[in-house]
Amino acid sequence: MLDNTEFEWVSADATPVLLYPGFASDDALVEPGEIVAAVYDSSDGIALYGNRDKVLTLLLRLADAVRNAPPVPTTEACIAASTDPSTWKPGPLTEALALITRAWPLCDSETPQPIAADPRLATCSDCVDAFNERGPLTPLRLVHFLPDQP
C-alpha cells in the first residue's frame, strides 16, 4: 500500500491550522462544505513525526478544533460588492449567515453566485483576493490558526 507513496515530513512542533472553503493551494481548492485540518512548517505536508506525546497532543488539538469549528459554508458564495471592508471586523462566526442574492461581485464566474453579506462566508479564492486588493482593510483569511493549549 505504501510502496510508492511520498510524504512531506512535518514536525509535531509545526503549526496546526483549519482551512475553510475558498482556500487554494497547490492547484487544489477547499470546496464548499469541506474543512481541512492541516499541519505545516517550512514545507507543506501532513506526515507527522516527533515523540509519541507531541504527535498525540497535536492530533488532539486538531480533533478539538474540528469539533468546535465555526459553521462551514456549504454553497459557493462571493463577497457582496456592498461589503464595507473598512468596517468589517473578524470575529467568531457562531452560526451560518444568510446569503443575500445571486450575482458576480468580486468573483470570476460563468454563472451567478450567491453573494455573502459577511466575507467570512466567501468560498471562492478569486473573490477573497479581490476583497483583499480593495485598499486598506482587514484582510479576509480562510485559515484559522489554532491557539496553543495551556
Side-chain angles (χ1 to χ4, degrees), residues 42-137:
S42 59
S43 65
D44 53 356
I46 197 62
L48 304 175
Y49 72 90
N51 68 39
R52 179 183 179 275
D53 290 339
K54 280 188 173 185
V55 172
L56 176 62
T57 298
L58 181 56
L59 290 173
L60 290 174
R61 284 178 62 200
L62 284 169
D64 189 55
V66 171
R67 182 185 304 108
N68 296 303
V72 178
T74 57
T75 61
E76 290 189 71
C78 297
I79 300 171
S82 59
T83 302
D84 182 355
S86 65
T87 61
W88 179 72
K89 300 285 186 259
L93 184 59
T94 56
E95 62 183 63
L97 301 175
L99 299 175
I100 308 173
T101 184
R102 291 181 175 272
W104 290 272
L106 302 182
C107 189
D108 294 331
S109 176
E110 295 289 326
T111 58
Q113 301 294 310
I115 299 173
D118 189 307
R120 289 171 291 180
L121 293 179
T123 58
C124 67
S125 56
D126 292 340
C127 56
V128 173
D129 292 339
F131 182 87
N132 288 341
E133 291 172 0
R134 287 173 62 187
L137 49 87

Side-chain angles (χ1 to χ4, degrees), residues 18-23 28-37 66 69-75 123 142:
L18 296 181
L19 308 177
Y20 278 80
F23 180 87
L29 179 69
V30 181
E31 300 289 347
E34 294 180 340
I35 188 171
V36 174
V66 171
V72 178
T74 57
T75 61
T123 58
L142 296 173

